[in-house]
């Protein structure tokens, strides 16, 4: 019988007579989008990822769930206008913001996603409501907004999501955000949020809210992808990466192989982050940059660009 208890020092196994109480190692990894990032903005993006990872880590460290940790981390990134998600989302061909987001739990395969939504400050929060409601997996456009009203997710004037247009153009190829985390119960969660790609056709839905493509979690782990959405969809990148973990590869090697496979099959550019139930981390990209922050224990923080 496995019972989970809360300890300040994780990675412990406590034997109490006939009951083994196991605490799984918690970990969290955040990405700030794959692409070519101007050198001068890299430190601020890494700092944004660091802040988000720390917010999620605080929840995990206090015995909170991976679902809460991932949601909190992604909300911080959506609120940071440096990233192409929530406030600061890139514009479609009509100059409008249309956002995609998803969140998924590995143990239960429960998932919630929203696609092509506008007028919502934090799409990942709405995606979580879809997950909790349980009737559907993906809600799009006007229907998603109607659902938001029903479940009390506040609306937000679309113009507040749009920041300086020049900065948007400058940001056009990167800045999607994502997070994967493992909590002390061994639950893993993936969350991803994006404004999509610059100048996309209205109604275009990318890989992010498509379960198995940009966002996926199952018994092997959790994955969040970023990059050319059309390529990620065709390669079913998230599921492909976790199948590699399931077949025995370390998440780092699985991430490398998933990127190589995507490139070989589609010629696409992308990156992804992975976590497994033991809190082992993987990340890889075939783009110039993908800011990443990893926390695997108190004070065990690393950032990569
Ligand atoms: N994957 C996102 C999309 O295609 C874009 C990105 O990650 O930058 O919607």
């Amino acid at each position: 019988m496995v019972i989970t208890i809360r300890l300040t020092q994780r990675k412990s196994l406590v034997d109490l007579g006939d009951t083994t109480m196991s605490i799984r190692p918690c970990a969290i990894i955040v990405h700030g989008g794959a692409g070519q990032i101007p050198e001068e903005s890299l430190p601020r993006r890494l700092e944004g990822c660091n802040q988000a990872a720390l917010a999620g880590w605080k929840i995990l460290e206090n015995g909170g769930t991976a679902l809460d940790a991932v949601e909190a981390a992604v909300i911080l990134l959506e609120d940071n206008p440096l990233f192409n998600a929530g406030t600061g989302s890139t514009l479609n061909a009509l100059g409008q913001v249309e956002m995609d987001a998803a969140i998924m739990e590995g143990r239960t395969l429960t998932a919630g996603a929203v696609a092509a939504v506008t007028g919502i400050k934090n799409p990942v929060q709405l995606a979580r409501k879809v997950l909790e409601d349980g009737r559907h997996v993906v809600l799009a456009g006007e229907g998603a907004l109607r659902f938001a009203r029903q479940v009390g997710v506040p609306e937000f004037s679309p113009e507040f999501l749009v920041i300086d247009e020049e900065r948007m153009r400058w940001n056009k190829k990167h800045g999607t955000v994502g997070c994967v985390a493992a909590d002390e119960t061994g639950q893993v969660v993936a969350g991803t949020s994006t404004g999509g790609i610059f100048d996309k056709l209205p109604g275009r839905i990318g890989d992010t809210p498509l379960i198995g493509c940009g966002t996926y979690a199952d018994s092997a782990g959790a994955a969040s992808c970023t990059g050319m959405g059309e390529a990620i969809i065709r390669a079913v990148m998230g599921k492909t990466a976790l199948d590699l973990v399931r077949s025995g590869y370390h998440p780092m090697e699985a991430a490398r192989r998933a990127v190589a496979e995507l490139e070989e099959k589609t010629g696409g550019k992308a990156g992804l982050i992975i976590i497994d139930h033991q809190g082992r981390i993987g990340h890889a990209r075939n783009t110039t940059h993908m800011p990443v922050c990893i926390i695997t224990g108190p004070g065990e923080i690393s950032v990569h660009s």
Side-chain angles (χ1 to χ4, degrees):
M1 178 184 188
V2 175
I3 298 171
T4 302
I5 57 165
R6 198 173 297 170
L7 296 177
T8 28
Q9 181 57 50
R10 311 258 171 248
K11 303 181 186 175
S12 308
L13 196 68
V14 181
D15 195 5
L16 292 180
D18 61 347
T19 305
T20 301
M21 305 170 84
S22 79
I23 295 291
R24 307 283 190 94
C26 301
I28 187 165
I29 171 167
V30 160
H31 75 72
Q36 186 164 8
I37 299 172
E39 288 297 329
E40 64 274 15
S41 83
L42 215 40
R44 283 188 299 146
R45 283 168 193 269
L46 286 170
E47 179 53 25
C49 290
N50 191 19
Q51 293 300 327
L54 279 169
W57 174 255
K58 205 174 273 181
I59 291 170
L60 295 173
E61 201 177 32
N62 287 316
T65 65
L67 193 61
D68 285 341
V70 168
E71 185 188 14
V74 174
I75 283 176
L76 267 189
L77 293 162
E78 288 177 335
D79 287 345
N80 185 336
L82 274 180
F83 297 101
N84 172 21
T87 304
S89 285
T90 200
L91 302 179
N92 69 14
L94 296 180
Q96 300 158 338
V97 165
E98 284 187 334
M99 302 168 292
D100 298 335
I103 192 159
M104 180 166 189
E105 283 189 330
R107 188 179 291 138
T108 54
L109 295 181
T110 51
V114 291
V117 289
T118 195
I120 295 291
K121 182 164 157 287
N122 295 109
V124 75
Q125 197 184 9
L126 187 56
R128 179 169 178 172
K129 294 285 185 195
V130 175
L131 179 155
E132 285 168 352
D133 179 75
R135 279 176 290 173
H136 304 296
V137 173
V138 190
L139 287 178
E142 190 50 43
L145 207 53
R146 192 185 292 246
F147 175 75
R149 286 180 203 125
Q150 285 166 6
V151 296
V153 170
E155 285 177 62
F156 196 66
S157 174
E159 72 240 30
F160 290 123
L161 298 167
V162 179
I163 57 162
D164 174 281
E165 193 175 351
E166 283 311 306
R167 182 187 250 174
M168 304 281 257
R169 288 177 188 278
W170 182 62
N171 276 347
K172 66 186 178 186
K173 283 194 174 154
H174 47 78
T176 288
V177 303
C179 176
V180 294
D183 65 27
E184 64 182 19
T185 72
Q187 173 71 292
V188 289
V189 171
T192 318
S193 183
T194 186
I197 52 173
F198 178 70
D199 207 26
K200 64 187 178 181
L201 291 179
R204 179 262 189 188
I205 292 169
D207 57 297
T208 297
L210 303 185
I211 300 307
C213 299
T215 309
Y216 195 59
D218 67 10
S219 57
S224 169
C225 306
T226 169
M228 293 166 56
E230 281 66 14
I232 295 170
I233 293 168
R234 290 187 187 110
V236 199
M237 194 184 199
K239 171 78 160 59
T240 299
L242 292 182
D243 283 347
L244 288 164
V245 174
R246 197 183 337 277
S247 70
Y249 288 107
H250 187 282
M252 198 61 88
E253 180 58 19
R256 284 195 202 107
R257 285 177 182 252
V259 170
E261 193 176 316
L262 171 115
E263 187 165 332
E264 189 190 311
K265 285 184 173 165
T266 70
K269 297 278 184 198
L272 81 165
I273 55 175
I274 304 179
I275 203 162
D276 73 5
H277 301 272
Q278 301 164 51
R280 296 184 308 168
I281 296 284
H283 58 99
R285 57 172 165 78
N286 62 354
T287 53
T288 319
H289 300 110
M290 183 176 72
V292 158
C293 180
I294 301 167
I295 307 183
T296 50
E300 291 171 30
I301 304 179
S302 61
V303 289
H304 307 259
S305 57

